[in-house]
Amino acid sequence: MAMDLKLVVMLLLVALFGLWVSCCNASVSYDNKAIKINGQRKILISGSIHYPRSTPEMWPDLIRKAKEGGLDVIQTYVFWNGHEPKAGKYYFEERYDLVKFIKLVQQAGLYVHLRIGPYACAEWNFGGFPVWLKYVPGISFRTDNGPFKVWQLWNLHMNLLSFHLHHNNLL
């Protein structure tokens, strides 16, 4: 069982890493020992920059310092409450300009690991859930009840993110 779980986790990591490098035309695989990028085993060092916690003017310097500190990957949550403050009303400007942030990381030669959620475990108000969500009839957070099935929220998030990445030629 432990080996099966380990394999599933590694395959998931490879799949996610494939998303990270999709804009960089890299070949990503796994050889039972390590992730391979363009045929070479790679140990990736990752650190977090939560883009809404700083201004867009600060991002280039933060990213540069992360790279100088030895990071290969910048990880960040996608904060649902910031991108959909009202149901069906999306916001990707100023501190929430995720596309600009991803482009800056890419320009620095680093990879991006998007932690899509829906829950953000980052000492963030309401776990990153939009406040309007608590008013959905029958909702019970972080459970398997009908209004809160993870795949429904994941699907919403992925469609939203995919639209913006494609719209800005990042995928």
Side-chain angles (χ1 to χ4, degrees):
M1 180 67 172
M3 186 59 165
D4 290 339
L5 181 58
K6 187 176 181 179
L7 179 61
V8 168
V9 169
M10 287 310 299
L11 290 175
L12 181 59
L13 286 173
V14 169
L16 288 174
F17 193 71
L19 290 174
W20 299 339
V21 298
S22 63
C23 63
C24 304
N25 297 323
S27 170
V28 179
S29 62
Y30 176 71
D31 71 358
N32 294 324
K33 293 184 181 181
I35 289 177
K36 294 172 73 174
I37 302 173
N38 296 327
Q40 295 188 357
R41 288 188 182 126
K42 183 88 173 150
I43 294 175
L44 298 170
I45 308 299
S46 176
S48 294
I49 298 175
H50 298 156
Y51 56 98
R53 294 188 193 268
S54 53
T55 65
E57 295 76 27
M58 296 168 70
W59 295 343
D61 190 49
L62 291 170
I63 294 165
R64 179 187 55 78
K65 288 176 180 175
K67 185 173 182 174
E68 288 174 358
L71 297 185
D72 303 294
V73 181
I74 300 296
Q75 63 175 310
T76 187
Y77 285 103
V78 178
F79 297 93
W80 186 11
N81 63 340
H83 292 295
E84 193 179 5
K86 294 181 181 177
K89 303 294 181 190
Y90 301 111
Y91 184 73
F92 282 82
E93 304 297 325
E94 301 170 346
R95 290 176 186 247
Y96 290 96
D97 192 341
L98 178 60
V99 172
K100 180 178 182 176
F101 181 76
I102 291 171
K103 284 182 177 180
L104 289 170
V105 173
Q106 179 186 15
Q107 289 168 4
L110 301 174
Y111 301 114
V112 174
H113 173 194
L114 292 178
R115 300 182 70 177
I116 295 173
Y119 182 75
C121 186
E123 290 78 37
W124 195 261
N125 287 343
F126 210 43
F129 295 121
V131 172
W132 58 262
L133 192 63
K134 76 179 187 175
Y135 299 108
V136 171
I139 193 110
S140 178
F141 289 99
R142 299 178 73 187
T143 67
D144 191 30
N145 78 319
F148 193 74
K149 289 195 184 260
V150 172
W151 67 267
Q152 290 172 335
L153 299 179
W154 179 272
N155 188 38
L156 170 67
H157 234 55
M158 288 302 291
N159 286 334
L160 178 62
L161 180 62
S162 178
F163 169 79
H164 283 282
L165 292 177
H166 282 286
H167 179 72
N168 288 281
N169 297 316
L170 289 173
L171 288 180

